Amino acid sequence: MRQPAPSVLRVAVSGAAGRMGRAVVRAVVREPDLRLVAAFGHTRALGEDAGEVAGVGPMGIPIRPAEEIEGLAADVLVDFTAGAATVANALRAVKRGVRPVVGGTGYDPAALGALERACGERALGGVVAPNFALGAALMMRFAQLAARHFPHVEIVEFHHDRKKDAPSGTALRTAQLIASARSALPEPKVQETETVPGARGGAYGGIRVHSVRLPGLMAHQEVIFGGPGQILRIRHDATGEEAYLPGVLLAIRRVVELDRLVVGLENLLPLEG
């Protein structure tokens, strides 16, 4: 029988010295039902007080190396590190019976499969989301619904020029959801020729995806559907880190109710259709 969730959840943050990690620390310490118990980060921040790094004052919680997650005592680990380290940290947490809430993109699908199996073997909840903004989750879900009626679609995502991966995890997740909703690929009207290679963007599941990288941008995406005599645009713009925090807090509270890994914040929202 599943044990009820504790009244106060013990939360650890990995990537605590990064932009999103600092924002998560600030969000967690404001919530009466959450308690920050540990922080992990890069070498340059080791030993620093997580509260001071996040701008909330000293908390007596030093930033430790990720290897020490293997000894972690907490209910939830929130991880906003990058690439392969993200899933590796989540696997360390699961081995300790700690539920992972994973952000970021660029991880290997095989590693994600390993995390899914690890959660399943322990009947332990986990959440992986390429985007924790509630508006982005709704955008992806709306696009999935629209794809049933508008098979012709392209995705354009815009990010700052410091983002390494292209396309974004949000764009890939959107393409996956659209592909799952379409019964068949629409037939092309012409045989296209690219006079500049890559001019038509990349393709995922038959869906064109375009990535824009410019200073001044943060995180934006537009899903454009075309039909006879009409255009449908679904767009989301994130203009600050605070856009992601309600989704992170939702995932922290919901992950303790799960017994498996869930991919996509939209799966935690009470959406129908």
Side-chain angles (χ1 to χ4, degrees):
M1 183 175 181
R2 186 186 299 280
Q3 296 296 318
S7 57
V8 176
L9 295 176
R10 298 168 300 163
V11 179
V13 177
S14 183
R19 179 173 50 86
M20 273 304 303
R22 297 194 303 271
V24 172
V25 168
R26 292 192 294 270
V28 167
V29 300
R30 289 196 297 262
E31 300 297 314
D33 62 329
L34 306 179
R35 179 164 62 91
L36 186 73
V37 296
F40 305 92
H42 296 298
T43 302
R44 65 179 181 274
L46 295 182
E48 294 188 42
D49 188 286
E52 290 187 333
V53 171
V56 294
M59 300 181 64
I61 299 175
I63 296 176
R64 296 183 282 158
E67 290 76 13
E68 294 190 17
I69 292 173
E70 294 177 356
L72 177 63
D75 299 301
V76 180
L77 172 72
V78 179
D79 192 289
F80 274 95
T81 52
T86 306
V87 177
N89 292 341
L91 284 168
R92 290 184 176 114
V94 171
K95 289 178 182 178
R96 287 288 298 175
V98 180
R99 303 157 185 88
V101 171
V102 177
T105 60
Y107 30 74
D108 180 7
L112 191 60
L115 178 59
E116 184 175 19
R117 290 191 297 274
C119 287
E121 289 168 359
R122 294 165 176 79
L124 197 70
V127 175
V128 172
N131 197 319
F132 276 99
L134 298 178
L138 291 170
M139 170 194 61
M140 288 185 271
R141 184 68 172 116
F142 295 160
Q144 184 182 28
L145 293 173
R148 301 175 185 175
H149 309 283
F150 289 84
H152 295 272
V153 58
E154 302 204 4
I155 299 169
V156 187
E157 56 96 350
F158 310 79
H159 279 83
H160 51 80
D161 57 350
R162 300 177 308 283
K163 185 171 180 59
K164 295 180 180 180
D165 57 319
S168 68
T170 301
L172 286 176
R173 178 65 178 165
T174 306
Q176 290 169 355
L177 293 173
I178 291 172
S180 72
R182 296 198 302 190
S183 57
L185 295 176
E187 290 291 331
K189 296 294 179 64
V190 296
Q191 180 64 45
E192 294 182 340
T193 300
E194 289 184 325
T195 56
V196 176
R200 289 288 292 116
Y204 184 95
I207 300 161
R208 291 288 182 178
V209 182
H210 310 264
S211 297
V212 178
R213 300 289 179 266
L214 289 171
L217 296 171
M218 184 173 175
H220 320 262
Q221 181 171 293
E222 190 165 26
V223 188
I224 309 171
F225 294 90
Q230 59 182 318
I231 296 292
L232 172 63
R233 298 175 184 267
I234 304 172
R235 182 177 175 112
H236 178 259
D237 296 277
T239 57
E241 289 83 6
E242 61 270 23
Y244 307 106
L245 299 178
V248 173
L249 295 174
L250 170 69
I252 291 171
R253 294 178 174 118
R254 286 294 310 279
V255 72
V256 297
E257 302 171 1
L258 303 174
D259 59 2
R260 60 186 177 86
L261 181 71
V262 169
V263 178
L265 185 67
E266 69 276 6
N267 292 308
L268 301 183
L269 300 177
L271 300 175
E272 297 182 6

